Amino acid sequence: MERKVIIAGNWKMNKTAAAGKELVEALKPLVADVTEAEIVVCPPFTTLNAVVAAAAGSNIKVGAQNVHWAENGAFTGEISAEMLVTSGVEYVIIGHSERRQYFGETDATVNARMKAALKAGLKVIVCVGETLEEREGNKTSEVIGRQIKEGFEGIAAADMANVIVAYEPVWAIGTGKTATPEMAEETHKFIRETVSAIFGGDVAGALRIQYGGSMKPENARELVAQADIDGGLIGGAALKADSFAKLITEAIGR
Ligand code: 13P
């Protein structure tokens, strides 16, 4: 099964509109000839419009970092899927570990957000991953199995074409500690098997699974070379055009 590599930059709470525009303007020429990978940048909400405008007509796509599950209403501080779609946004990250850790995100809210986003026509990047304590307690499979089963509850198999999973071991995020390619591959394989058990082999075979957690130009090639690693969700190394572009070319094996 050929799966197109997908590299997404999660800018987290970084970059004003002006700084986001500057990054994308610098990135565009560096990746203009990349056809082997899908490239996505995910700025904060207030930077989305500027980045959508800067990326227009290029091979850089734009994603948000969160979305609310309701269509509209009394949800102060929240953003709906329709608001994203009508702003020119194509992707949305859901269930990042920082949202699970600091903002009370659960598998149930991940599920509700996924359903709303897919219904509105967004492509979703759903994050899963274990903490250090869970890994050391041999609970990695149990935790990720639960995140997938409960997070994906009631999702139609046909909608899975618009779903990407990001495996982000929490202990590897922003720490400089990357999972070894073999360690990451083992979990990616488990994620594909779990999705296969729910949605069948065809859906699982087509599913793209990104690795995230201290991915950088120096380790991207080896990680993405693994059989079940189909790209990356990048934090720190996505904040500068040259390192993000280098990471992309490494990931596609140039
Ligand atoms: P770092 O690449 O900074 O470790 O962040 C990974 C991440 O959380 C991307 O969503």
Side-chain angles (χ1 to χ4, degrees):
M1 177 86 219
E2 260 311 298
R3 294 182 294 263
K4 190 164 189 176
V5 168
I6 176 162
I7 307 288
N10 174 11
W11 295 0
K12 308 192 180 186
M13 198 173 73
N14 295 289
K15 306 280 177 195
T16 59
K21 178 176 187 288
E22 195 180 315
L23 198 166
V24 171
E25 293 298 354
L27 182 63
K28 276 198 286 190
L30 301 178
V31 299
D33 68 340
V34 173
T35 52
E36 306 96 310
E38 226 175 303
I39 303 169
V40 185
V41 294
C42 303
F45 289 130
T46 50
T47 299
L48 282 171
N49 278 325
V51 165
V52 165
S58 77
N59 57 346
I60 301 168
K61 294 169 178 169
V62 184
Q65 298 173 17
N66 192 19
V67 62
H68 197 260
W69 53 82
E71 285 183 8
N72 50 55
F75 299 102
T76 301
E78 295 299 315
I79 299 286
S80 75
E82 185 193 18
M83 291 167 187
L84 296 179
V85 171
T86 54
S87 298
V89 171
E90 277 183 67
Y91 287 82
V92 64
I93 298 170
I94 294 177
H96 192 278
S97 65
E98 286 148 20
R99 296 219 59 88
R100 294 180 192 257
Q101 189 179 350
Y102 305 124
F103 303 105
E105 187 84 71
T106 65
D107 296 325
T109 58
V110 165
N111 183 253
R113 290 184 209 281
M114 252 184 106
K115 285 176 177 162
L118 289 168
K119 188 172 169 212
L122 290 165
K123 297 188 176 83
V124 302
I125 298 175
V126 184
C127 304
V128 299
E130 81 288 1
T131 62
L132 184 59
E133 198 186 358
E134 287 161 348
R135 175 160 284 267
E136 288 177 344
N138 287 321
K139 293 219 163 65
T140 301
S141 303
E142 179 188 324
V143 168
I144 290 170
R146 189 206 68 226
Q147 288 173 337
I148 301 260
K149 283 185 200 107
E150 295 183 12
F152 288 30
E153 173 75 40
I155 301 293
D159 279 337
M160 287 298 290
N162 290 321
V163 174
I164 293 138
V165 172
Y167 167 55
E168 299 205 319
V170 178
W171 47 270
I173 296 175
T175 57
K177 280 191 213 163
T178 327
T180 63
E182 295 72 26
M183 201 191 268
E185 169 60 18
E186 190 187 358
T187 310
H188 279 236
K189 193 159 173 283
F190 171 75
I191 291 169
R192 204 175 299 287
E193 286 163 1
T194 305
V195 168
S196 181
I198 304 171
F199 296 100
D202 287 352
V203 166
L207 177 75
R208 291 182 293 175
I209 309 174
Q210 297 173 310
Y211 170 80
S214 300
M215 200 193 249
K216 39 189 181 274
E218 295 74 26
N219 58 24
R221 183 180 296 249
E222 211 189 343
L223 283 160
V224 177
Q226 303 297 311
D228 290 290
I229 303 184
D230 309 307
L233 183 58
I234 325 299
L239 293 175
K240 286 202 176 113
D242 54 356
S243 66
F244 193 48
K246 180 88 170 77
L247 190 154
I248 291 163
T249 48
E250 289 287 339
I252 58 178
R254 282 203 199 162

